[in-house]
Amino acid sequence: MREKLALALGGVLADAYVLLVRTHGFHWNVRGPQFPGLHALFETHFQELFPAIDEMAERIRALGYFAQCTMGDLTERASLDVGATADDADGKVRRLLQDNEAVGRACREVAELCDEVGDTATEDLMNARMTAHDKNAWMLRACLAD
Protein backbone atom coordinates (compact mmCIF):
# COMPACT_ATOMS: atom_id res chain seq x y z
CA MET A 1 0.00 0.00 0.00
CA ARG A 2 2.90 2.41 0.66
CA GLU A 3 3.96 2.07 -2.97
CA LYS A 4 0.45 2.85 -4.24
CA LEU A 5 0.29 5.86 -1.95
CA ALA A 6 3.76 7.09 -2.97
CA LEU A 7 2.80 6.79 -6.65
CA ALA A 8 -0.44 8.68 -6.12
CA LEU A 9 1.34 11.39 -4.14
CA GLY A 10 3.96 11.54 -6.92
CA GLY A 11 1.19 12.40 -9.37
CA VAL A 12 0.09 15.31 -7.20
CA LEU A 13 3.73 16.38 -6.87
CA ALA A 14 4.13 16.39 -10.64
CA ASP A 15 0.94 18.40 -11.18
CA ALA A 16 1.90 20.85 -8.45
CA TYR A 17 5.30 21.37 -10.09
CA VAL A 18 3.69 22.05 -13.47
CA LEU A 19 1.34 24.50 -11.75
CA LEU A 20 4.29 26.18 -10.01
CA VAL A 21 6.18 26.69 -13.27
CA ARG A 22 3.06 27.92 -15.10
CA THR A 23 2.10 30.31 -12.31
CA HIS A 24 5.63 31.71 -12.19
CA GLY A 25 5.68 32.17 -15.95
CA PHE A 26 2.29 33.87 -15.94
CA HIS A 27 3.56 36.14 -13.15
CA TRP A 28 6.39 37.24 -15.44
CA ASN A 29 4.25 37.68 -18.53
CA VAL A 30 0.86 38.99 -17.44
CA ARG A 31 -0.01 42.36 -18.95
CA GLY A 32 -2.86 44.79 -19.29
CA PRO A 33 -4.94 46.77 -16.81
CA GLN A 34 -5.06 43.83 -14.38
CA PHE A 35 -1.28 43.60 -14.29
CA PRO A 36 -0.57 44.94 -10.77
CA GLY A 37 -3.12 42.77 -9.02
CA LEU A 38 -2.51 39.59 -11.02
CA HIS A 39 1.26 39.96 -10.87
CA ALA A 40 1.03 40.10 -7.07
CA LEU A 41 -1.57 37.31 -6.82
CA PHE A 42 0.42 34.94 -9.01
CA GLU A 43 3.54 35.67 -6.95
CA THR A 44 1.69 34.83 -3.74
CA HIS A 45 0.52 31.55 -5.29
CA PHE A 46 3.88 30.35 -6.58
CA GLN A 47 5.70 31.35 -3.39
CA GLU A 48 3.25 29.31 -1.32
CA LEU A 49 3.44 26.37 -3.68
CA PHE A 50 7.22 25.87 -3.66
CA PRO A 51 7.58 24.79 0.00
CA ALA A 52 4.45 22.64 -0.35
CA ILE A 53 6.07 20.74 -3.22
CA ASP A 54 9.15 20.19 -1.08
CA GLU A 55 6.96 18.81 1.70
CA MET A 56 5.25 16.40 -0.72
CA ALA A 57 8.59 15.15 -2.04
CA GLU A 58 9.85 14.64 1.48
CA ARG A 59 6.68 12.72 2.37
CA ILE A 60 7.29 10.40 -0.59
CA ARG A 61 10.79 9.82 0.80
CA ALA A 62 9.34 9.15 4.26
CA LEU A 63 7.15 6.48 2.67
CA GLY A 64 10.35 4.83 1.44
CA TYR A 65 10.30 5.82 -2.23
CA PHE A 66 12.15 8.29 -4.41
CA ALA A 67 10.42 11.45 -5.54
CA GLN A 68 10.74 12.19 -9.25
CA CYS A 69 13.22 15.00 -9.68
CA THR A 70 13.82 15.62 -13.37
CA MET A 71 11.68 17.77 -15.62
CA GLY A 72 11.16 14.74 -17.84
CA ASP A 73 9.92 12.62 -14.93
CA LEU A 74 7.67 15.40 -13.66
CA THR A 75 6.10 16.21 -17.02
CA GLU A 76 5.64 12.52 -17.79
CA ARG A 77 3.78 11.97 -14.51
CA ALA A 78 1.69 15.15 -14.68
CA SER A 79 -1.95 14.94 -15.60
CA LEU A 80 -2.09 18.68 -16.32
CA ASP A 81 -1.48 19.79 -19.90
CA VAL A 82 2.17 20.80 -19.60
CA GLY A 83 2.02 22.86 -22.80
CA ALA A 84 -1.10 24.85 -21.97
CA THR A 85 -0.68 28.60 -21.93
CA ALA A 86 -2.73 31.75 -22.39
CA ASP A 87 -2.00 35.10 -24.01
CA ASP A 88 -4.31 37.51 -22.21
CA ALA A 89 -4.81 38.12 -18.50
CA ASP A 90 -8.27 36.51 -18.31
CA GLY A 91 -6.96 33.46 -20.15
CA LYS A 92 -4.12 33.15 -17.66
CA VAL A 93 -6.57 33.39 -14.76
CA ARG A 94 -8.85 30.75 -16.33
CA ARG A 95 -5.92 28.39 -16.98
CA LEU A 96 -4.65 28.72 -13.40
CA LEU A 97 -8.20 28.29 -12.09
CA GLN A 98 -8.59 25.02 -14.01
CA ASP A 99 -5.19 23.81 -12.85
CA ASN A 100 -5.81 24.65 -9.19
CA GLU A 101 -9.16 22.87 -9.32
CA ALA A 102 -7.53 19.83 -10.92
CA VAL A 103 -4.74 19.67 -8.34
CA GLY A 104 -7.31 20.06 -5.58
CA ARG A 105 -9.29 17.11 -6.97
CA ALA A 106 -6.11 15.01 -7.15
CA CYS A 107 -5.37 15.86 -3.52
CA ARG A 108 -8.87 14.70 -2.56
CA GLU A 109 -8.30 11.38 -4.31
CA VAL A 110 -5.00 10.85 -2.48
CA ALA A 111 -6.65 11.85 0.82
CA GLU A 112 -9.33 9.19 0.24
CA LEU A 113 -6.61 6.60 -0.39
CA CYS A 114 -4.86 7.73 2.80
CA ASP A 115 -8.07 7.23 4.73
CA GLU A 116 -8.38 3.69 3.34
CA VAL A 117 -4.85 2.75 4.42
CA GLY A 118 -4.76 4.75 7.65
CA ASP A 119 -1.95 7.16 6.69
CA THR A 120 -2.99 10.24 8.63
CA ALA A 121 0.27 12.13 8.01
CA THR A 122 -0.13 12.08 4.23
CA GLU A 123 -3.87 12.72 4.61
CA ASP A 124 -3.13 15.84 6.68
CA LEU A 125 -0.75 17.03 3.97
CA MET A 126 -3.38 16.49 1.28
CA ASN A 127 -6.04 18.24 3.35
CA ALA A 128 -3.76 21.27 3.69
CA ARG A 129 -3.13 21.25 -0.06
CA MET A 130 -6.86 20.97 -0.82
CA THR A 131 -7.47 24.01 1.36
CA ALA A 132 -4.74 25.98 -0.42
CA HIS A 133 -5.93 25.05 -3.92
CA ASP A 134 -9.56 25.73 -3.04
CA LYS A 135 -8.56 29.19 -1.75
CA ASN A 136 -6.46 29.86 -4.87
CA ALA A 137 -9.38 28.81 -7.08
CA TRP A 138 -11.73 31.12 -5.19
CA MET A 139 -9.32 34.06 -5.62
CA LEU A 140 -8.87 33.36 -9.31
CA ARG A 141 -12.62 32.98 -9.83
CA ALA A 142 -13.13 36.34 -8.16
CA CYS A 143 -10.78 37.93 -10.73
CA LEU A 144 -13.03 36.96 -13.63
CA ALA A 145 -15.86 39.22 -14.74
CA ASP A 146 -18.19 36.37 -15.78
Side-chain angles (χ1 to χ4, degrees):
M1 261 320 186
R2 287 178 146 229
E3 182 178 16
K4 183 176 180 182
L5 191 54
L7 285 170
L9 185 54
V12 175
L13 172 72
D15 283 341
Y17 211 92
V18 169
L19 178 57
L20 169 73
V21 170
R22 181 170 292 132
T23 304
H24 204 174
F26 284 3
H27 162 79
W28 292 331
N29 294 308
V30 68
R31 61 185 186 183
Q34 294 176 289
F35 171 80
L38 291 179
H39 184 76
L41 179 64
F42 296 167
E43 183 172 4
T44 299
H45 287 188
F46 77 73
Q47 285 183 342
E48 183 275 335
L49 195 50
F50 188 81
I53 289 169
D54 187 59
E55 193 173 355
M56 283 186 265
E58 289 177 356
R59 185 65 196 151
I60 291 168
R61 291 297 298 133
L63 291 169
Y65 294 88
F66 288 102
Q68 60 267 31
C69 60
T70 69
M71 290 307 292
D73 290 341
L74 290 162
T75 57
E76 185 178 304
R77 288 290 318 279
S79 65
L80 297 182
D81 179 353
V82 298
T85 191
D87 291 327
D88 67 347
D90 279 353
K92 285 174 174 34
V93 170
R94 281 188 184 86
R95 178 78 256 162
L96 294 177
L97 171 60
Q98 291 170 359
D99 289 351
N100 272 279
E101 289 174 336
V103 176
R105 282 190 303 274
C107 290
R108 280 179 183 80
E109 291 172 10
V110 175
E112 289 171 8
L113 178 60
C114 291
D115 188 44
E116 290 173 25
V117 301
D119 182 343
T120 57
T122 306
E123 186 175 11
D124 287 348
L125 177 59
M126 290 296 94
N127 287 332
R129 295 313 312 147
M130 281 185 275
T131 300
H133 290 291
D134 287 350
K135 182 177 181 181
N136 291 351
W138 156 59
M139 290 180 171
L140 292 162
R141 231 179 269 110
C143 293
L144 296 171
D146 46 71

